[in-house]
Amino acid sequence: MTTHMSSLREFFIVRKAHHAFRQPDQDVYALARRFAAEGASPLERSVRRHLHVLRSEKPVVFPEERIAFMRTVTKLPELYTPEEMEALRAKHWLHEQGEVCNINVDYTMLMCCGFDAKRSQLLELAAAREAAGEAEAARYLRAQESILAAAQALADAYAREAQAVGNRTVADVLSHVPAKAPRSFLEALQMLRILHYVMWCGHNYHNTVGRFDQYMYPWFAKDLEAGVYNEETALELLEEFFLTVNRDSDLYTGMQQGDNGQSMVLGGLNPDGTDSYNLLSELCLKASLELKLIDPKINLRVHKDTPMSAYILGSELTKQGLGFPQYSNDDVVIPGLMDLGYSREDAHNYVVAACWEFIIPGRAMDIPNIGAVSLARAVTEAVLEDLTACPDYASFCDKVKEKIVRQADAVQEQVKNLFVFPAPYVSLMMEGCVEQARDVSLGCVYNNYGLHGTGVATAADSLEVIDRYVYGDGSITPERLVRCLQTDFEGEDELLTKLRYHTPKMGNHEDCVDDRAVWLLDTFADALEGRRNERGGIFRAGTGSAMYYVWHPQDLPASPDGRRAREALGANYSPSLFMRAKGPVSILHSFARPNLRRVINGGPLTIELHDTVFRNAEAVAKVAALVRSYMLMGGHQLQLNAVNRQTLEDAQRHPENYRNLIVRVWGWSGYFVELDKVYQDHIMQRMELAL
Amino acid sequence: MAEGIVFDIKEFSVYDGPGIRQTVFLKGCPLRCSWCHNPEGLTAAPQIMVSRSACTDCGKCREVCSGGTCSLCGRCVAVCPNQARRIAGERMSAQALAQMIMRDAAYYAACGGGVTFSGGEPLMQHRFVVETVGLLDDVHCAIETSGYADPEVFERVISRMQFVMMDIKLMDDAMHRAHTGVSNERILTNARTLLHSGLPCRIRVPLIPGVSDTQENLRATAEFVARHRAGAKVELLPYHKTAGAKYEMIGMRYAPRFDPERQVQTRKDIFKAYGLECDVL
């Protein structure tokens, strides 16, 4: 890292000196109450809030920086009062906070023309709509224009401030962007920063950075060719951009601090079979490696011909303990998405949403985390409701299937009558929204919903117990197993120990139990096949968990695999927390066995490796080979963590010494000491599996 | 059919030879190095291991125990609710071990690796090792050894290997006796054989603070290695304070005959000065 970068990192990350410029918190319901009193429409609320935030922002420019924009408004106003929200929730399904979130916009839709041209276009289209008697459409387009105008005004204020503090670089850049399309890499980065920043100001959270190495490449390559930068100076500038993504991240909404969806996807197959991994992809990995920050969260797209060097660089990054990169396998994901009806070109252009769900930039208003099916619950319920009446294992499996279908029915029913708050600014970067004057909150090219599937290992291990001991050797009667689940194994200590520790588990490369996972995931995919949502989209099955690994077990009784009541499930696609794993090779084999192409909503196999396996370059290359092997076996997505339990124990005792300790939580990385204890503890429990 | 005693098979070994490997740990060792971090590998016979930190003293193990000398019946292992007990050391036939190795052999081969025999001291079970290797089909085999064995045995075993990692712990014989319990004479003889054999190999030096990490010892080691194979590769293994972790589990006391708190000297430069390649693990 250059001294310039170290001093910026020290200023923004270590000292957080820019926080001094933040404005005092405002009443987040002040605007909502006014809207309620006026009976303002959803669109009006959304636009007025956006304008309010942009106009409340105060420009702050630091002398050393080349890429400006920081948030001074700390809390974003709500659109609705709590009473209104309650009424809305009674009438509608509101996904999360109701906002357009967790998608990836096509930034080039604004970057390739600049605000001026876009504003003229919007006004022209509005006039045409008006002339055609389409007042509502005209109003919508004008609203979009007004947000760009407010963003431009803020950029102009930043430009003046840059002049005032003597930062010529920022002043020069802002004299051109965002009004006009960027001409240089620096201008493109500043424009992207503004686009992203304005999106956050509109409370559109968890919208990702996407295929940065692809859409930024033309500007990067041009400057590199012209000699404006060499690799080293380009890396420094890139790092400066990465740093800007971390400036305001503590203000972003999320389940936990760090869960902010700023994921970046690098590389990937082109439709013609060539690889898009380029020099900028490599520099992004290097920037992340040097900076060691939680954002952007790096995802690497790989395929059977990805060179070892990319995996090695990725493993160097894993060694830092940031919990990324996360790998996804084009050879499985692309065909899987095409099976689901995504076009060939779109499937090749996939990115991950905030965590790991596969979505399409600029075209998908998918809600890939709209709900979850608990596979562990399905098995448990089948035991409690039907085991004593099932004559054989096959008929028991039919019952498990029924429960999975029942849960899917329930989610499908629950998410009906979806209402998403209008997002006119985001819509500027989503296909067809301007042309049709139709907000993206109402849908886009793809409108699919995704369901996580939690506790697959717990479910498979439970099926193993049932087939082996209830229908197999008959050592457990159905009544006894039912009683164990009802009473949390009261008085059954020995049986509990046998089921928990001395019965085959998914993750130890034993086909008997791994095949049950194959069946479970196929059954989950079958249960969703053919279902349609009210937007004409489909339901996709996945292997992720999000926070459901902590939520689902809260009211889940004990399970047949010896998991006690309320005991947590593994995060995402991973072995049960108390299994004794033979090692990562067995885990990879087990978890590559299911038909992952069918459960392609996303959700990585998550493995913790002890940090001692990264001691030297040769060992790092072996980790890289391990990662690659999972992809060659047909794995879909993988996320490795380098961990050291002692470090985390010490961090719990002395958080003050570990302010910058980063860990992977579920689909994102965060600062360990800022997590709620339940998540800290789960991470430490997961580490007992560290290999 | 030879039978052996295996106390662990580890997947994804990254420091036990080229590529990704599976490592088979064979029980029993003729040396008694006071820094040994695998004390369950010392005695040849299987033994019970108990994790005191995981034990809640619930008494379940005592309830099922028939008392007297432990017969390794495993009942206490089966009932322990905390997975605090296990038996280190499983008797198996060469055929059974070969079968286990072959299961993922293609995987390891694709990752540039194979199998490594470690311990304990694998040469103590040389018949078992040789027979197992004979049953493997196209598997890259490596061994990690102290080299303390009859030279004839040593030669016979390494001739079946594609890669050898051998320790030279201390060059001074008196020191070697004092810290490992045996003379280094056979070890140096075998080291010479190995270095002259042309087999791909690594000489490993455990860096024990104040014992083997001294300039004199490292220089003598470097001189010895360089004399018998120019440009040989040496790996230094710095002592880790976690070495004592497993002693209590087998009812032993960890009693290092050196100061574990002392800073380890990692002098790669000494080896480089003799034209040797040197890496620290």
Side-chain angles (χ1 to χ4, degrees):
Chain A
M1 207 184 316
T2 61
T3 46
H4 166 69
M5 272 317 298
S6 314
S7 82
L8 285 181
R9 190 185 187 283
E10 172 71 21
F11 183 86
F12 288 108
I13 305 297
V14 181
R15 284 170 40 217
K16 305 185 196 316
H18 62 300
H19 287 196
F21 297 88
R22 287 181 177 173
Q23 304 179 41
D25 287 354
Q26 303 286 318
D27 174 4
V28 295
Y29 289 109
L31 270 183
R33 279 194 295 272
R34 207 177 313 153
F35 294 154
E38 294 171 16
S41 74
L43 176 66
E44 217 180 314
R45 292 178 191 230
S46 175
V47 175
R48 280 171 61 185
R49 174 181 62 185
H50 212 154
L51 297 178
H52 171 84
V53 174
L54 291 170
R55 286 168 188 160
S56 307
E57 268 302 341
K58 300 226 167 16
V60 184
V61 178
F62 300 100
E64 298 300 314
E65 69 185 357
R66 285 179 288 179
I67 303 168
F69 272 68
M70 65 162 272
R71 270 268 292 280
T72 63
V73 174
T74 51
K75 293 232 164 86
L76 298 176
E78 296 292 336
L79 291 187
Y80 294 93
T81 64
E83 300 74 37
E84 286 179 309
M85 275 302 272
E86 203 174 311
L88 277 175
R89 284 195 194 277
K91 251 172 72 186
H92 294 281
W93 174 256
L94 293 190
H95 179 62
E96 294 184 4
Q97 303 178 37
E99 309 281 359
V100 169
C101 62
N102 212 26
I103 63 172
N104 178 227
V105 301
D106 180 355
Y107 296 99
T108 63
M109 289 171 76
L110 288 176
M111 288 181 74
C112 288
C113 60
F115 284 6
D116 285 357
K118 184 53 76 175
R119 287 168 64 192
S120 310
Q121 183 205 9
L122 288 166
L123 294 176
E124 278 165 29
L125 286 171
R129 292 281 190 165
E130 199 128 67
E134 299 169 61
E136 204 176 321
R139 216 170 16 249
Y140 181 74
L141 295 166
R142 290 213 171 89
Q144 289 187 304
E145 193 276 337
S146 72
I147 297 169
L148 288 187
Q152 183 64 56
L154 179 61
D156 292 341
Y158 259 89
R160 286 190 299 274
E161 178 65 13
Q163 279 296 1
V165 302
N167 187 331
R168 286 279 305 277
T169 310
V170 169
D172 283 354
V173 168
L174 290 177
S175 72
H176 191 79
V177 293
K180 307 272 185 299
R183 297 160 300 185
S184 66
F185 189 43
L186 175 60
E187 286 179 356
L189 290 169
Q190 176 66 74
M191 178 124 184
L192 179 60
R193 170 67 186 151
I194 293 171
L195 294 179
H196 200 233
Y197 173 97
V198 172
M199 186 152 59
W200 279 111
C201 288
H203 211 329
N204 293 113
Y205 61 92
H206 277 184
N207 295 305
T208 73
V209 182
R211 303 187 76 188
F212 177 91
D213 62 340
Q214 305 304 309
Y215 62 78
M216 295 299 280
Y217 189 74
W219 290 286
F220 166 79
K222 185 169 151 249
D223 276 8
L224 211 63
E225 198 165 317
V228 181
Y229 303 104
N230 58 30
E231 272 186 44
E232 247 166 77
T233 53
L235 175 65
E236 187 188 42
L237 182 61
L238 190 59
E239 288 181 348
E240 204 171 326
F241 174 75
F242 276 25
L243 205 59
T244 64
V245 184
N246 287 276
R247 284 184 186 182
D248 309 325
S249 56
D250 61 312
L251 300 177
Y252 299 158
T253 183
M255 293 299 304
Q256 291 279 299
Q257 182 88 247
D259 171 25
N260 58 33
Q262 301 190 112
S263 36
M264 176 181 277
V265 177
L266 304 175
L269 278 175
N270 297 314
D272 65 3
T274 56
D275 192 337
S276 66
Y277 185 84
N278 58 36
L279 181 59
L280 183 55
S281 330
E282 190 176 309
L283 291 186
C284 286
L285 286 171
K286 286 188 175 157
S288 186
L289 188 61
E290 289 197 350
L291 286 172
K292 302 181 183 51
L293 298 174
I294 60 172
D295 287 299
K297 303 170 204 308
I298 305 289
N299 286 265
L300 195 54
R301 279 179 51 175
V302 293
H303 54 89
K304 65 178 176 5
D305 298 321
T306 296
M308 203 54 195
S309 57
Y311 287 107
I312 289 176
L313 205 47
S315 301
E316 285 287 352
L317 193 49
T318 300
K319 177 184 177 175
Q320 309 307 319
L322 303 169
F324 47 77
Q326 176 169 260
Y327 299 88
S328 47
N329 185 1
D330 286 4
D331 296 329
V332 176
V333 178
I334 292 170
L337 290 173
M338 285 167 64
D339 289 348
L340 291 176
Y342 292 86
S343 78
R344 191 179 141 75
E345 197 168 324
D346 286 337
H348 279 81
N349 198 27
Y350 81 84
V351 293
V352 297
C355 293
W356 13 248
E357 306 94 328
F358 303 113
I359 53 170
I360 313 300
R363 289 171 69 83
M365 180 55 209
D366 290 347
I367 306 181
N369 58 339
I370 202 159
V373 162
S374 167
L375 300 168
R377 179 183 300 281
V379 176
T380 305
E381 285 177 347
V383 171
L384 291 171
E385 294 172 22
D386 306 295
L387 184 67
T388 53
C390 289
D392 50 30
Y393 180 67
S395 55
F396 178 75
C397 285
D398 289 342
K399 293 296 175 188
V400 175
K401 184 172 181 169
E402 274 178 35
K403 312 301 170 201
I404 292 173
V405 170
R406 188 166 77 187
Q407 286 188 43
D409 288 345
V411 177
Q412 188 176 9
E413 193 52 41
Q414 185 182 34
V415 301
K416 276 187 181 155
N417 210 8
L418 176 76
F419 175 54
V420 185
F421 305 158
Y425 170 73
V426 172
S427 303
L428 288 166
M429 295 176 278
M430 293 299 287
E431 193 171 303
C433 292
V434 167
E435 293 76 0
Q436 295 165 43
R438 183 169 185 264
D439 196 86
V440 74
S441 60
L442 300 169
C444 199
V445 180
Y446 298 106
N447 303 287
N448 301 325
Y449 295 168
L451 303 192
H452 303 313
T454 69
V456 64
T458 300
D461 297 349
S462 295
L463 289 178
E464 178 64 23
V465 164
I466 292 160
D467 194 19
R468 181 175 285 260
Y469 301 129
V470 177
Y471 296 108
D473 64 13
S475 60
I476 309 176
T477 63
E479 293 74 17
R480 184 174 173 202
L481 190 61
V482 170
R483 202 168 50 241
C484 286
L485 267 50
Q486 286 167 338
T487 63
D488 197 15
F489 290 94
E490 199 189 313
E492 290 279 16
D493 293 355
E494 270 178 47
L495 182 61
L496 176 68
T497 302
K498 173 176 164 176
L499 302 182
R500 222 175 140 85
Y501 301 124
H502 306 288
T503 302
K505 302 281 173 193
M506 181 183 187
N508 271 336
H509 194 189
E510 292 183 72
D511 295 350
C512 58
V513 54
D514 296 345
D515 283 343
R516 304 190 198 282
V518 175
W519 178 81
L520 280 162
L521 291 177
D522 277 341
T523 303
F524 180 28
D526 290 344
L528 299 190
E529 207 166 281
R531 288 177 196 262
R532 289 269 159 193
N533 65 37
E534 62 194 8
R535 299 181 159 205
I538 57 163
F539 286 83
R540 322 187 307 185
T543 47
S545 70
M547 58 288 163
Y548 293 101
Y549 68 89
V550 173
W551 285 2
H552 271 165
Q554 280 168 4
D555 59 347
L556 187 63
S559 40
D561 64 330
R563 190 196 123 274
R564 306 295 298 267
R566 289 172 298 283
E567 210 175 337
L569 302 167
N572 298 329
Y573 186 51
S574 61
S576 101
L577 288 169
F578 48 79
M579 71 93 75
R580 191 173 267 180
K582 283 188 214 156
V585 173
S586 289
I587 292 182
L588 296 187
H589 276 107
S590 287
F591 283 80
R593 198 167 170 89
N595 303 314
L596 295 167
R597 179 172 160 171
R598 291 202 65 201
V599 280
I600 212 64
N601 191 57
L605 167 59
T606 306
I607 296 183
E608 336 283 343
L609 287 179
H610 200 271
D611 60 5
T612 52
V613 303
F614 295 88
R615 260 182 222 147
N616 57 23
E618 209 181 317
V620 169
K622 293 177 186 183
V623 173
L626 183 81
V627 172
R628 181 168 176 268
S629 75
Y630 185 57
M631 303 306 158
L632 297 182
M633 278 191 254
H636 61 335
Q637 202 169 24
L638 176 69
Q639 197 260 307
L640 281 181
N641 303 318
V643 299
N644 187 323
R645 199 186 148 92
Q646 277 91 43
T647 310
L648 296 191
E649 280 170 356
D650 202 46
Q652 273 194 330
R653 281 193 297 270
H654 306 288
E656 66 282 5
N657 298 338
Y658 293 92
R659 291 273 164 236
N660 292 308
L661 175 65
I662 292 169
V663 289
R664 186 75 173 181
V665 190
W666 61 82
W668 47 276
S669 300
Y671 293 103
F672 181 74
V673 298
E674 290 173 355
L675 300 174
D676 288 347
K677 185 143 187 311
V678 54
Y679 292 102
Q680 288 187 356
D681 288 346
H682 190 276
I683 288 168
M684 300 190 39
Q685 199 182 345
R686 236 162 54 192
M687 279 180 192
E688 285 176 11
L689 279 173
L691 302 158
Chain B
M1 169 70 61
E3 214 183 43
I5 300 179
V6 174
F7 72 91
D8 201 5
I9 299 178
K10 189 172 177 254
E11 295 186 350
F12 191 58
S13 295
V14 296
Y15 301 113
D16 297 340
I20 299 177
R21 313 188 70 83
Q22 41 187 338
T23 301
V24 179
F25 292 88
L26 298 167
K27 204 159 162 13
C29 182
L31 275 62
R32 287 295 177 269
C33 310
S34 75
W35 55 80
C36 181
H37 64 273
N38 273 340
E40 76 275 34
L42 292 175
T43 62
Q47 65 197 121
I48 195 99
M49 283 182 87
V50 185
S51 162
R52 304 284 164 201
S53 60
C55 175
T56 55
D57 199 27
C58 69
K60 292 245 181 301
C61 49
R62 290 190 291 274
E63 280 169 28
V64 297
C65 187
S66 49
T69 317
C70 178
S71 65
L72 299 170
C73 69
R75 276 197 296 253
C76 61
V77 175
V79 299
C80 176
N82 304 308
Q83 250 191 328
R85 308 175 74 84
R86 67 187 171 95
I87 293 172
E90 186 187 342
R91 278 178 212 282
M92 56 172 82
S93 67
Q95 196 156 26
L97 177 59
Q99 241 169 33
M100 290 176 80
I101 294 168
M102 285 312 294
R103 173 139 207 245
D104 288 330
Y107 174 88
Y108 288 98
C111 297
V115 65
T116 298
F117 296 91
S118 181
E121 170 49 63
L123 294 178
M124 272 186 84
Q125 301 189 38
H126 57 91
R127 283 193 193 86
F128 179 59
V129 171
V130 168
E131 193 168 329
T132 304
V133 170
L135 295 168
L136 299 178
D137 190 17
D138 207 19
V139 175
H140 183 278
C141 293
I143 191 164
E144 275 178 320
T145 175
S146 68
Y148 187 80
D150 183 90
E152 191 261 328
V153 166
F154 183 82
E155 275 182 68
R156 183 150 35 100
V157 175
I158 66 165
S159 70
R160 311 295 170 95
M161 299 292 160
Q162 282 83 53
F163 192 84
V164 179
M165 288 150 282
M166 179 179 163
D167 281 10
I168 297 181
K169 300 178 205 291
L170 281 160
M171 288 300 291
D172 181 83
D173 192 41
M175 285 279 279
H176 201 279
R177 283 171 193 274
H179 284 279
T180 71
V182 301
S183 160
N184 66 7
E185 199 189 319
R186 292 160 104 185
I187 292 172
L188 295 181
T189 304
N190 289 333
R192 269 191 290 272
T193 307
L194 173 63
L195 291 167
H196 287 287
S197 71
L199 258 176
C201 73
R202 297 277 186 284
I203 296 298
R204 290 183 155 178
V205 183
L207 296 178
I208 309 305
V211 179
S212 64
D213 69 343
T214 61
Q215 276 201 45
E216 308 88 273
N217 183 54
L218 298 183
R219 205 168 281 137
T221 311
E223 195 272 327
F224 175 88
V225 174
R227 178 148 39 93
H228 295 291
R229 189 190 289 190
K233 291 180 178 162
V234 174
E235 288 172 344
L236 304 178
L237 282 60
Y239 173 75
H240 287 287
K241 282 182 203 159
T242 49
K246 290 192 277 188
Y247 281 75
E248 206 192 352
M249 297 170 79
I250 52 166
M252 281 175 75
R253 199 171 63 83
Y254 183 54
R257 294 191 289 278
F258 55 91
D259 179 7
E261 297 302 320
R262 211 164 127 174
Q263 180 70 33
V264 175
Q265 304 300 313
T266 44
R267 298 283 307 269
K268 289 209 285 198
D269 58 313
I270 294 180
F271 293 87
K272 295 203 166 144
Y274 282 87
L276 301 169
E277 277 186 45
C278 184
D279 204 359
V280 179
L281 292 187

